[in-house]
Amino acid sequence: MENFNKSFNLKKIDLRSDTVTLPTDEMRDAMNNAKVGDDVYQEDPTVNRLEELGAKKMGKEGALFVPSGTMGNLLAVLTHCQRGDEVILEMDSHIYYYEVGGMSAVAGVIPRLIIGDKGIPDIQNIKLALRDENLHYPKTTLICLENTHNRAGGTIIPPMLTTEICQLAHQQNIAVHLDGARIFNAAIALNIEPVLLAKNVDSVMFCLSKGLSAPVGSILAGSKEFIQRARKNRKMLGGGMRQAGILAAAGIVALEKMVDRLKEDHKNARILGEGLADISGIKVDLETIQTNMACFDLNKSGMDTYQFLPKLAEYNILGSPRPPTKVRLVTHYGISENDIYATIKAIKEIVRN
Ligand code: TLP
């Protein structure tokens, strides 16, 4: 077989995350022409339009444009809970694992972690985590779900399970928040409208800045009353953004033009996963490749994550560490099928040498 020459691969293939996507020309034009105003007075027409569109896509009464997914999730916890409350989450959830402990440091809640299967919580484990009334116990006020699930490799929570969890929670007066950073990936993979994934939850956050390629921003959606309180909390956190229509304009293009193409990313992730599964020394759980991620384990190759990634970078290909022996590769806008073949080829070579 032809030897893959590292120096021929001049294009950087950045598979660290879909957060690295760059705004499209159409987004830049929309940003340039956006009508703006002071959004703290709710007078930015472009932000208002984006919020209406975001609420509609999620089937909610209202929505709030926020600078990041992390802030959207934190606002949800802050707005649903009082200090000292307990929040039930899957143990590998982004809110718990990757958001700097904000739920405790800022919102003052304690996490109650449950084990999931490929990121999908088991309803029995949630039932076991529910407490009865007792003087000694904290109050459980919120369950957080994540769809798609990042650390599990982009896995999807089936809509039926979300509904069942919401029913259980609501019977106990517990709210449900959905971290739907990549909810559009889940919807496209299932070939359903995202509203079907969000309709029973009390709040949902989704990101414009990941696979949808907008430069900045996320949306938090929920009831009118919830969003009103979240708006005040956003101000408290310093997230009131003034002429944010410049950013919201790109978000509108993201929602109107960038959703359907996510299927290309899913197809590329599948090709990548299957290509990697053929390489001896590498383990891939093909069942987890449901959307735009391919995670693999290097443990039979004799290399760990931090030995492997610099070798991959020599080929101008970047991935994300999942130490000690795993790597995450994310497909997205700007990554072609040829990039995927080049990646498989490079990894084959690295693992063989
Ligand atoms: N995820 C990022 C990193 O933080 C790890 C990534 O590269 O995947 N929820 C989920 C499920 C996420 O994956 C992320 C970002 C967020 C929330 C936070 O979004 P941002 O980065 O906008 O704060």
Side-chain angles (χ1 to χ4, degrees):
M1 204 175 75
E2 151 206 14
N3 201 12
F4 183 47
N5 188 332
K6 297 173 196 178
S7 62
F8 277 132
N9 187 28
L10 294 177
K11 181 191 167 194
K12 184 161 90 179
I13 303 176
D14 191 344
L15 301 170
R16 284 172 302 170
S17 181
D18 44 12
T19 58
V20 304
T21 45
L22 299 175
T24 61
D25 288 345
E26 198 175 344
M27 285 178 187
R28 288 179 185 271
D29 285 346
M31 293 169 86
N32 199 25
N33 296 316
K35 292 202 170 40
V36 295
D38 189 331
D39 180 52
V40 172
Y41 295 117
Q42 291 180 245
E43 286 173 5
D44 187 305
T46 311
V47 172
N48 292 344
R49 244 181 75 214
L50 172 64
E51 290 180 344
E52 270 166 41
L53 186 60
K56 198 165 152 223
K57 296 254 178 219
M58 296 297 123
K60 302 292 172 208
E61 288 172 359
L64 191 65
F65 184 43
V66 294
S68 65
T70 302
M71 190 188 279
N73 283 333
L74 177 57
L75 278 176
V77 175
L78 256 177
T79 309
H80 284 298
C81 306
Q82 301 289 318
R83 296 185 75 75
D85 285 354
E86 181 177 67
V87 175
I88 297 174
L89 331 89
E90 196 278 326
M91 64 184 295
D92 263 339
S93 61
H94 197 277
I95 295 179
Y96 177 72
Y97 207 98
Y98 286 120
E99 296 185 10
V100 208
M103 64 185 299
S104 297
V106 182
V109 300
I110 59 161
R112 178 84 177 271
L113 299 179
I114 56 163
I115 296 176
D117 177 23
K118 302 188 191 351
I120 313 302
D122 180 339
I123 195 152
Q124 293 311 326
N125 289 340
I126 296 182
K127 279 186 185 154
L128 288 173
L130 296 175
R131 300 168 184 269
D132 48 20
E133 191 48 49
N134 185 304
L135 175 71
H136 304 81
Y137 291 164
K139 190 169 178 234
T140 308
T141 40
L142 185 64
I143 297 173
C144 293
L145 303 175
E146 185 174 319
N147 201 6
T148 63
H149 193 290
N150 182 342
R151 278 188 62 79
T155 51
I156 299 171
I157 306 181
M160 199 51 211
L161 178 60
T162 307
T163 303
E164 283 168 20
I165 293 171
C166 290
Q167 278 165 353
L168 174 70
H170 294 157
Q171 279 160 12
Q172 316 262 340
N173 262 333
I174 295 172
V176 179
H177 169 67
L178 174 60
D179 174 350
R182 298 184 178 84
I183 194 170
F184 288 95
N185 292 86
I188 286 290
L190 295 171
N191 199 17
I192 59 174
E193 290 299 320
V195 69
L196 292 174
L197 297 167
K199 68 174 179 186
N200 295 301
V201 301
D202 300 275
S203 57
V204 52
M205 181 285 291
F206 68 83
C207 294
L208 298 159
S209 58
K210 298 200 162 57
L212 303 185
S213 306
V216 178
S218 294
I219 293 285
L220 177 66
S223 71
K224 216 167 160 188
E225 182 271 336
F226 172 83
I227 292 300
Q228 209 172 349
R229 289 190 292 119
R231 188 178 293 279
K232 193 163 170 106
N233 283 332
R234 184 187 68 173
K235 192 75 186 80
M236 179 176 75
L237 295 183
M241 291 189 290
R242 309 298 177 188
Q243 286 73 36
I246 299 275
L247 301 171
I252 293 171
V253 177
L255 283 178
E256 288 180 340
K257 300 286 169 69
M258 300 299 283
V259 173
D260 286 342
R261 63 150 306 286
L262 292 173
K263 41 174 101 72
E264 282 173 47
D265 302 339
H266 298 176
K267 186 174 155 227
N268 283 338
R270 175 68 20 206
I271 297 172
L272 181 56
E274 283 171 2
L276 295 175
D278 270 352
I279 303 175
S280 65
I282 281 187
K283 210 173 108 203
V284 185
D285 181 352
L286 287 172
E287 262 183 48
T288 63
I289 305 187
Q290 300 175 8
T291 54
N292 69 331
M293 295 181 189
C295 295
F296 59 93
D297 198 325
L298 288 154
N299 67 350
K300 297 235 165 63
S301 72
M303 251 180 291
D304 68 23
T305 305
Y306 291 115
Q307 289 166 326
F308 172 83
L309 283 175
K311 289 186 202 284
L312 189 63
E314 284 176 28
Y315 288 83
N316 235 348
I317 302 172
L318 305 180
S320 267
R322 287 284 187 270
T325 57
K326 289 185 185 164
V327 170
R328 179 188 77 162
L329 302 177
V330 185
T331 55
H332 53 79
Y333 178 65
I335 296 295
S336 67
E337 201 172 314
N338 279 343
D339 295 335
I340 297 301
Y341 292 123
T343 304
I344 296 168
K345 218 166 173 186
I347 295 177
K348 235 181 226 169
E349 233 177 70
I350 294 167
V351 172
R352 240 192 253 130
N353 291 330

